[in-house]
Amino acid sequence: MEDTQQSFWDHLDELRRVIFRILGVALAFAVVAFIFRDELFAVVLAPKENCFITYRLLSRLASVFSGSAAESFDVPLINTGLAMQFVIHMKIAFAAGVVCASPYIIYQLFRFVSPALYADERRYAVRVVGGGYVMFIIGMAVSYFLIFPLTFRFLGTYQVSSDVANLISLESYVEVLVMMSVAMGIVFEMPVVAWLFARLGFLNDTFMRRYRRHAIVVILIVAAVITPTSDIFTLLAVSLPMWLLYEGSIHLVARTHPVSRQPE
């Protein structure tokens, strides 16, 4: 271990400097995102457009298997608050700033805690933090390119009667997009957590296979909690990736050997 001579107040001062640096970089990215409003919202609002890449791929698949392209759709967004568009602009810009600054944030936090770790602990920490970050980004991408577009298209075009038009607010759209992206990012941490527990000797593939049915029930419950709507379509769209991650985690755990412990 290193840096053991520093006092508690020295560590507190260093933590304060780390927090200020993180906030400064995140705010700088947020300001840039706020300035480039058109580019920012072109990304945020892309999943609602009929020409989004996910819908184009689905249309091609439909034309291959059924001979006819998928129907086009148009779901306009509305604003219901006087200052809501400005508030949403600020929130999205800040969220974009945090996402863009996330590699620097992770680096600063790891740099702060790494002196307190042994060499082998530091090595495993790099794997867990690096793997966790990559999986979180992949989870957000899966939500953005697959789960949210399918959910939006299904619910945005669903009507109980032609006399009832759908008026989707911008606030509702952004809230669901952000919540599903963060939730899927967290869900995609499952293989990393499973690998860590397997390395520590707390988990093995036999246990995961034995309680596979129980895990499916838990997955459905978790999906119902994090799903912003109550329809079965969205529930299945969220549950399927979670189940695939669980099955992948079983194979990962089976290949992982616990850390050998030296006798005291």
Side-chain angles (χ1 to χ4, degrees), residues 235-253:
L235 179 64
L236 293 177
V238 175
S239 301
L240 180 59
M242 295 174 65
W243 174 70
L244 293 176
L245 285 172
Y246 184 83
E247 295 297 328
S249 298
I250 292 177
H251 295 286
L252 179 63
V253 168

Side-chain angles (χ1 to χ4, degrees), residues 70-222:
E71 296 182 0
S72 60
F73 71 99
D74 180 31
V75 182
L77 299 181
I78 63 172
N79 178 54
T80 58
L82 179 62
M84 189 55 63
Q85 292 200 51
F86 179 75
V87 172
I88 290 176
H89 185 189
M90 293 185 62
K91 289 181 178 180
I92 293 298
F94 182 75
V98 172
V99 171
C100 293
S102 56
Y104 179 79
I105 294 173
I106 293 175
Y107 167 74
Q108 285 293 328
L109 293 177
F110 182 79
R111 184 170 173 268
F112 175 75
V113 302
S114 60
L117 302 176
Y118 291 106
D120 56 342
E121 294 173 336
R122 192 178 297 115
R123 184 173 63 254
Y124 287 120
V126 169
R127 294 181 182 180
V128 172
V129 174
Y133 177 75
V134 171
M135 292 303 297
F136 188 86
I137 297 299
I138 293 176
M140 292 184 66
V142 169
S143 175
Y144 178 80
F145 286 104
L146 182 62
I147 297 177
F148 178 76
L150 297 179
T151 301
F152 177 79
R153 178 165 184 168
F154 174 76
L155 297 180
T157 59
Y158 184 83
Q159 290 179 282
V160 295
S161 172
S162 58
D163 296 330
V164 183
N166 288 328
L167 297 177
I168 311 299
S169 69
L170 176 63
E171 181 182 12
S172 173
Y173 174 92
V174 170
E175 285 182 355
V176 174
L177 173 62
V178 172
M179 187 173 72
M180 292 189 72
S181 298
V182 173
M184 290 308 299
I186 295 174
V187 166
F188 267 65
E189 300 296 325
M190 187 187 305
V192 178
V193 175
W195 175 84
L196 179 61
F197 283 2
R199 288 291 294 177
L200 296 175
F202 299 150
L203 187 65
N204 57 62
D205 60 304
T206 303
F207 176 87
M208 296 184 71
R209 288 191 174 95
R210 180 186 305 167
Y211 291 96
R212 179 184 276 116
R213 296 179 181 177
H214 301 79
I216 293 175
V217 175
V218 173
I219 286 173
L220 291 173
I221 294 175
V222 173

